[in-house]
Amino acid sequence: MSEQRQAQRGLGYFNAIYGYGMLMVIFAHTISFNSAFFYSNFVFYGWFSVLGSAYMVLFFLLSGYGFNPSPVRKSLSFNFRTLLKPYYITAAAVLLAKLALSFVRRRSFWEHGGEFLLTYALGLNFEGGGTLFGVPVESISILWFLWALFEARCLFNCLSHLKNRRLTYGLSFACTLLGYCMMRFSAVWPFVIHIGLMATGWVALGNLIREEHLLDRKFPLIPLVVLAVLSLNTFLRSHTDLIRGELSGGLMDVLGLTSLAVLLLVFFDWLTARTIDTAANRFFAVIGMNNIWIICVHAFEKVILPNYKFLEWFPNSIFLQTVLMFAARAVFIAVVCVGLQMGRELLRKFRRRGRKKVTIEL
């Protein structure tokens, strides 16, 4: 592989992969909205859930591939600003929207929204709802990814300062094992710390792939076959849902998801190298560039918008339910993200004007 190809894999090279993933996440949450159809269809409940979980692992690999060590305080500050700040903004937006709806519809906020107070405060992933110490709680939905990525990035950054490289990677992979053991004990932990620990190993693996220039070489046949067998084993033998802690194959599913994520990374690297200058790649790259805010807006609309109406309007057509709900969600997310971008630009202009005025007065 040429040095030019290596240099291509800089900032933004894999943005299109994030773009594909965002569309996959929204589609998965749309098709699963009709639970009766989703849970009775093995293609979606089985294979698609495996692919979706592997794609989330791929996101962690990509984060590790672009990782650069930094001082601990700087790492905490940067990751808080880019990951947890959007999380808390989204949480506040959901709670305010729920409060406004309680006034408009003349209903109790505590019964229709109060369950999210403790949910967002503790970063809980009670899929399907539940109670904690007698208090109703819900799930932070796709926002779990922000907490897990924050924890994985910060933890691996701390470990990367160890002088012994083998110890760094050994402890990182041990974190994955610890997170898996915690998941087997309980699928719900505050701030999804169990997935954050598992993701530490995946971030480390992504960084190892870059350091060893594994994408610059042709994959040997035997490792490729091993990865394919592990992936196929997870595909054919089990239903896998990472966030729900449903790993029926145990550690073999962890290996299977990791193997499938590595194969996806190799495939998308090959694809990106051949389509990087195409309009399609640029389109998906734009989506990928805004992946954090897309996650946040999607988490907001999942809770606030009346998506159940599509099931009432088209009770006998899964196709129309899915297509129209997906289109409506995509339009809403696009409009809100564009609006947020315009708002940020206006805010920057006002700040610049304020600085100029201060300079003149001095």
Side-chain angles (χ1 to χ4, degrees), residues 110-111 113-120 122 124-141 186-188 244:
W110 299 109
E111 295 179 2
E115 69 273 16
F116 285 100
L117 287 170
L118 196 58
T119 300
Y120 285 125
L122 296 179
L124 300 173
N125 61 314
F126 268 100
E127 293 292 319
T131 59
L132 184 66
F133 305 117
V135 179
V137 290
E138 255 292 345
S139 171
I140 59 175
S141 186
S186 173
V188 180
R244 290 179 179 269

Side-chain angles (χ1 to χ4, degrees), residues 96-263:
L96 288 173
K98 284 288 187 180
L99 185 61
L101 286 172
S102 68
F103 281 109
V104 172
R105 298 181 178 179
R106 299 179 181 277
R107 63 189 188 188
S108 170
F109 168 74
W110 299 109
E111 295 179 2
H112 300 275
E115 69 273 16
F116 285 100
L117 287 170
L118 196 58
T119 300
Y120 285 125
L122 296 179
L124 300 173
N125 61 314
F126 268 100
E127 293 292 319
T131 59
L132 184 66
F133 305 117
V135 179
V137 290
E138 255 292 345
S139 171
I140 59 175
S141 186
I142 189 62
L143 293 177
W144 70 264
F145 177 74
L146 303 186
W147 269 110
L149 187 57
F150 171 81
E151 292 156 358
R153 279 181 175 178
C154 292
L155 185 51
F156 181 66
N157 182 71
C158 292
L159 294 174
S160 68
H161 290 288
L162 297 174
K163 295 182 179 180
N164 190 315
R165 184 169 176 267
R166 291 184 178 180
L167 183 61
T168 294
Y169 286 108
L171 289 175
S172 298
F173 297 141
C175 286
T176 299
L177 183 59
L178 175 60
Y180 166 76
C181 293
M182 292 174 65
M183 181 179 287
R184 300 300 289 182
F185 180 77
S186 173
V188 180
W189 289 87
F191 311 112
V192 289
I193 184 64
H194 57 307
I195 301 181
L197 286 168
M198 293 181 71
T200 303
W202 292 323
V203 169
L205 179 58
N207 190 64
L208 184 63
I209 290 173
R210 187 195 65 186
E211 287 188 347
E212 297 297 326
H213 303 287
L214 296 182
L215 292 181
D216 301 329
R217 311 173 188 175
K218 287 187 176 180
F219 249 76
L221 181 60
I222 294 179
L224 192 63
V225 170
V226 171
L227 292 175
V229 169
L230 289 171
S231 302
L232 192 62
N233 174 65
T234 299
F235 253 115
L236 298 180
R237 192 175 53 80
S238 65
H239 160 73
T240 301
D241 191 324
L242 188 62
I243 186 59
R244 290 179 179 269
E246 296 173 355
L247 301 175
S248 60
L251 277 174
M252 290 302 295
D253 275 351
V254 177
L255 290 173
L257 292 177
T258 305
S259 299
L260 183 54
V262 172
L263 292 177

